[in-house]
Amino acid sequence: MFQVSRIPAARLLGAAALSFASLASLSAAHPAAAVGADAGAGARAGVPHGDHLTVTVRNAGPTADGTFELYCHPAGGSHPDPAGACAVAERDTRWGQDAFAPVPESSICTMQYGGPATAHVTGIWAGRPVDVTYDRRDGCEISRWNRMVPLLPEVGAPGRS
């Protein structure tokens, strides 16, 4: 007669639970992280990269204005701070939310002017297209801009150095 021991069955059940937990943690990662490991080498070979943004800044000052390419997973490109820029975009990336969302229309914003700086960000982030504009026309837009520093350049109040 065949006898089943409880110890091997418990080990098998524990191994199955551990495998399931490992798979669950992998599926919770940033969607582009899975692409990013292979995409870094591919981008250098001319194959499109997983997370790629083009940031065009105007009227923020002579050292901040320009068009910069940003690649993430791994960080690179012509952006002045690729690691910091990737980290700030990654920080606000959540399932079902837009990391680059505009200020909600129902927001009450302070009437202050943060200067003439504008930025246009286009590309692909977390597998979704990005085409967003930033400015500093009121308190809400200034806060929205500041949350994206260093993806966007740090801009002081007008008249201050």
Side-chain angles (χ1 to χ4, degrees):
M1 175 182 257
F2 184 75
Q3 186 174 8
V4 177
S5 168
R6 290 183 185 199
I7 293 174
R11 286 183 185 159
L12 181 61
L13 186 58
L18 183 60
S19 296
F20 179 76
S22 297
L23 285 173
S25 68
L26 286 174
S27 66
H30 178 345
V35 175
D38 294 331
R44 288 184 285 278
V47 177
H49 195 282
D51 286 332
H52 170 243
L53 299 173
T54 302
V55 181
T56 301
V57 180
R58 299 201 191 296
N59 302 314
T63 59
D65 286 358
T67 299
F68 308 98
E69 299 296 323
L70 176 67
Y71 295 93
C72 298
H73 307 109
S78 62
H79 191 281
D81 182 2
C86 291
V88 77
E90 183 76 35
R91 176 189 68 208
D92 290 335
T93 300
R94 302 278 186 279
W95 182 261
Q97 292 181 341
D98 183 1
F100 304 95
V103 174
E105 288 186 29
S106 61
S107 298
I108 298 173
C109 305
T110 58
M111 293 179 62
Q112 66 188 94
Y113 180 62
T118 62
H120 187 209
V121 180
T122 59
I124 300 292
W125 184 259
R128 297 178 65 190
V130 175
D131 187 353
V132 63
T133 302
Y134 291 85
D135 61 41
R136 301 175 58 82
R137 69 177 170 252
D138 61 34
C140 293
E141 293 293 343
I142 292 168
S143 292
R144 181 173 171 246
W145 179 294
N146 290 344
R147 276 193 307 274
M148 296 307 284
V149 171
L151 175 67
L152 303 179
E154 187 166 0
V155 178
R160 294 185 187 169
S161 33

